[in-house]
Amino acid sequence: MPARTLQRSSYCAQGEACLHVAAHKGKVRLTESGDPSGAILRTTPAALDTLLRTLKEDRPHD
């Protein structure tokens, strides 16, 4: 996937509160759809995986 190709999250509702993700050369780039050229988080796949697992574990169960 080219560095500038951002994929919209499958969990995105309509509107501007969406997460976009791109992978390139072993790195992951995340940005918010309301301002895709604004704040961009760059990380590794392993660090992103750890973050997502932690968020899922800490989420209250229904």
Side-chain angles (χ1 to χ4, degrees):
M1 176 184 306
R4 287 179 232 134
T5 302
L6 292 168
Q7 180 178 356
R8 187 171 154 171
S9 170
S10 61
Y11 289 96
C12 182
Q14 298 214 4
E16 294 298 320
C18 300
L19 179 67
H20 291 169
V21 180
H24 184 68
K25 296 184 180 181
K27 299 290 182 186
V28 178
R29 185 174 76 150
L30 302 131
T31 189
E32 196 268 320
S33 62
D35 186 11
S37 63
I40 296 174
L41 172 67
R42 290 181 177 87
T43 188
T44 64
L48 179 60
D49 182 59
T50 299
L51 172 65
L52 295 175
R53 286 178 187 271
T54 301
L55 291 172
K56 287 178 183 180
E57 289 171 1
D58 289 346
R59 186 175 58 178
H61 298 286
D62 294 328

